[in-house]
Amino acid sequence: MHQLWEAAIAELRAKAPGSFERWFSSIQFDGFTDGVLQLRAQNAFVRDFVNEHFLALVRERLRERTGMTIEIAWSIDPVLPSPVAPRPSQPPPPPPPAEAEPAAAATAPPPAAPALVGVVPTPRIEGLNPKYIFANFVVGTSNELAHAAALAAAGAGSVRRYNPLFICGGTGLGKTHLLHAIGHHIGSARPGLRIVVVSAEAFTNEFISAIANKEMDQFRTRYRTQCDLLLMDDVHNLAGREQTQEEFFHTFNALHQADKQIVLTSDRYPHELERCTERLVTRFQWGLVADVQVPQLETRVAIVRKKAQLEQLDLDDEVAVLLAQAIRSNVRELEGALIRLAAQASILGRRIDLEFARSVLASALPPRATPASVEDVVKAVCNHFNLRSSDVLGKDRHRSVAQARHVAIYLCRQRLKCSYPELGRHFGHRDHTSVMHAVKKVEALRVADPEMRSHLDAIERKLGS
Ligand code: ADP
Ligand code: MG
């Protein structure tokens, strides 16, 4: 198997030895079975870079040799050597061919091992992403409550500690980052503390196999007795899993009674969780529910700067602003765009200046980016119905205004995946039930009423689909 892998990467090694050595020295080949290639990377940045730039070729070569479609299963292993660190047992890599990597030393993004970036989480805790520490988290109005609450849960804040802390919000907005930051912080302040980090998905799987293997005692020991801090990611994934919910309910009670901190994340508010037992929802609301929202432009710019600094990228300020303007709704995508930019610059031996960033972004972004803000939707709706934004966002109950408002609320829910409380805040501080009602109403009218359908079609055309 190893030979197959070696053969598949031989071509890459020959093509760009410098680059190859830099990146592949930190990739570990773990096996290749049934078309699944198992690889380990030191961190997510290395993984993404290698994935994006080298693996298409490797995949293709493996496919040619085996006739199978190749899947790649990555895992992250912070203990692997960092890509920039030369390996002592090997001669230094040959100088890179001039045409392939002219400015590699200056512009290649050396994926910084956390050790290089100042604040280091010590010691490493299994299951925690080493980059997700408080020091790397940019605080803005969109996330300051969640951040303060996370600090408090970590025993570092001035805010009172809430149990549980329930962090919720859309995808890619920093929930997992905060969750892990709590773990790092407590882990280094109190090394003896037993921290359990688990996704709801993994909890479910462990639970199922514990039942199958008659290992429920061990399972309960792990989650109830030998756990001082439970960090559970993505609890919305417990939806519809009754038995797991039941088990988790008891886990929760045991920990809570013993005054052990519980931190949960979810992509929606507790009361919006589907197929989740009422008693769990109630418990999720016992402590503090803190949401993360889409960050404002200034925060997004600060995030891009922070990431560039962490990845030791030389990035012009205008480029940070350009990126933050182009990608508005999801920090993960923002990061992805930065990494793509860095990768392309590195391959082409270019500096990441405004001109370069524009050209890369222009080809990467869809011609009409989907509107990412409530304002965009409100504007389009007002335009269509010939109203002012202040009408639609305000309290006017006149029929035509109310209808436009309902349409705007519906479209925000549909396209921006806004939560009901969030919508309530935007639209004249309504409570979430009336907002929910508006969404349901337009949903029904869309089916039943041709006039409503044509309104919606027209507005959606304006917004671009
Ligand atoms: P979620 O769990 O909400 O889907 P993540 O925590 O995985 O999102 O965040 C996605 C990416 O965006 C991560 O790499 C994270 O470090 C980054 N990120 C999100 N919010 C921030 C922030 N405020 N400051 C710095 N990085 C952030
Ligand atoms: Mg997450």
Side-chain angles (χ1 to χ4, degrees):
M1 282 306 145
H2 205 267
Q3 278 166 358
L4 209 56
W5 164 248
E6 285 295 332
I9 60 176
E11 187 176 336
L12 269 178
R13 180 179 279 138
K15 259 188 178 164
S19 206
F20 181 88
E21 196 58 40
R22 178 194 304 271
W23 294 97
F24 273 74
S25 63
S26 70
I27 298 295
Q28 184 71 36
F29 168 77
D30 281 340
F32 180 59
T33 22
D34 296 333
V36 179
L37 177 63
Q38 282 160 351
L39 297 176
R40 239 180 316 149
Q42 201 237 10
N43 60 43
F45 182 73
V46 176
R47 174 196 64 199
D48 295 344
F49 192 96
V50 168
N51 231 343
E52 219 161 293
H53 296 283
F54 301 116
L55 284 188
L57 184 68
V58 174
R59 242 197 194 121
E60 184 52 30
R61 292 296 168 268
L62 282 174
R63 200 187 55 77
E64 284 165 10
R65 276 159 209 271
T66 63
M68 288 188 267
T69 329
I70 311 298
E71 299 293 336
I72 297 175
W74 279 104
S75 53
I76 298 288
D77 181 359
V79 176
L80 286 173
S82 145
V84 278
R87 283 185 298 175
S89 58
Q90 288 207 339
E99 77 292 349
E101 305 177 289
T107 55
L116 298 175
V117 301
V119 190
V120 194
T122 51
R124 290 216 156 97
I125 295 161
E126 202 191 331
L128 294 181
N129 183 327
K131 287 189 175 180
Y132 291 177
I133 56 178
F134 281 119
N136 293 349
F137 192 82
V138 175
V139 184
T141 45
S142 58
N143 59 29
E144 59 191 348
L145 172 64
H147 176 257
L151 275 177
S158 49
V159 186
R160 153 173 167 227
R161 184 170 77 89
Y162 290 90
N163 205 14
L165 169 59
F166 190 97
I167 303 174
C168 58
T171 162
L173 297 181
K175 301 183 298 294
T176 301
H177 191 138
L178 284 174
L179 187 76
H180 288 199
I182 295 169
H184 285 304
H185 193 96
I186 298 190
S188 52
R190 301 168 59 187
L193 210 84
R194 292 162 302 184
I195 303 174
V196 176
V197 195
V198 68
S199 65
E201 196 72 45
F203 181 87
T204 306
N205 293 337
E206 280 176 43
F207 173 61
I208 292 170
S209 67
I211 296 178
N213 301 326
K214 306 206 164 35
E215 290 171 351
M216 275 312 289
D217 285 348
Q218 286 98 310
F219 181 85
R220 291 193 173 131
T221 307
R222 167 167 154 76
Y223 284 101
R224 298 188 198 177
T225 329
Q226 296 191 342
C227 172
D228 300 313
L229 167 65
L230 178 65
L231 304 173
M232 186 181 276
D233 212 357
D234 295 329
V235 291
H236 53 267
N237 286 331
L238 293 175
R241 294 165 160 165
E242 281 166 33
Q243 237 189 316
T244 310
Q245 284 182 25
E246 162 95 20
E247 179 63 25
F248 183 59
F249 174 76
H250 295 296
T251 307
F252 185 102
N253 289 344
L255 293 175
H256 199 273
Q257 269 156 25
D259 197 28
K260 309 290 190 191
Q261 178 74 48
I262 302 165
V263 186
L264 309 162
T265 73
S266 157
D267 70 358
R268 62 202 81 175
Y269 287 87
H271 66 266
E272 291 178 0
L273 287 168
E274 281 155 17
R275 290 177 293 147
C276 185
T277 57
E278 198 49 45
R279 54 185 195 170
L280 258 189
V281 170
T282 308
R283 272 162 184 73
F284 291 164
Q285 294 165 325
W286 268 357
L288 177 68
V289 175
D291 63 2
V292 286
Q293 303 276 344
V294 173
Q296 308 276 315
L297 178 66
E298 296 74 33
T299 311
R300 297 200 301 274
V301 173
I303 290 173
V304 175
R305 289 208 181 108
K306 183 90 197 176
K307 292 289 163 195
Q309 176 209 337
L310 291 177
E311 306 296 353
Q312 303 183 348
L313 296 172
D314 183 14
L315 190 75
D316 289 354
D317 260 2
E318 302 104 12
V319 176
V321 176
L322 181 76
L323 275 170
Q325 279 168 337
I327 295 150
R328 298 187 279 175
S329 58
N330 180 323
V331 179
R332 188 177 292 121
E333 280 171 22
L334 191 57
E335 249 179 53
L338 174 65
I339 287 171
R340 268 198 305 282
L341 203 58
Q344 300 222 13
S346 146
I347 284 168
L348 300 171
R350 296 266 317 250
R351 240 183 66 73
I352 312 174
D353 56 18
L354 193 58
E355 184 200 355
F356 180 72
R358 278 220 180 93
S359 67
V360 172
L361 278 179
S363 58
L365 288 175
R368 177 77 175 85
T370 44
S373 74
V374 172
E375 290 77 57
D376 289 328
V377 171
V378 170
K379 217 156 104 194
V381 170
C382 288
N383 219 313
H384 178 80
F385 290 109
N386 226 337
L387 293 166
R388 286 170 309 182
S389 317
S390 54
D391 297 331
V392 169
L393 293 170
K395 298 253 184 217
D396 188 344
R397 290 180 178 277
H398 194 273
R399 193 173 164 273
S400 62
V401 175
Q403 185 193 358
R405 183 181 302 129
H406 291 168
V407 166
I409 290 173
Y410 165 82
L411 287 171
C412 286
R413 173 74 182 173
Q414 281 259 308
R415 302 176 72 100
L416 311 180
K417 311 274 176 266
C418 293
S419 69
Y420 292 123
E422 205 181 322
L423 285 172
R425 276 203 293 278
H426 278 292
F427 291 87
H429 292 281
R430 290 179 160 71
D431 73 50
H432 73 268
T433 46
S434 77
V435 171
M436 205 158 20
H437 176 72
V439 173
K440 295 256 151 66
K441 190 162 165 182
V442 177
E443 248 162 24
L445 283 175
R446 172 162 225 167
V447 179
D449 176 11
E451 197 180 328
M452 177 58 90
R453 242 193 330 271
S454 80
H455 284 312
L456 287 171
D457 288 347
I459 299 168
E460 289 190 322
R461 263 198 307 280
K462 254 183 226 160
L463 287 166
S465 47

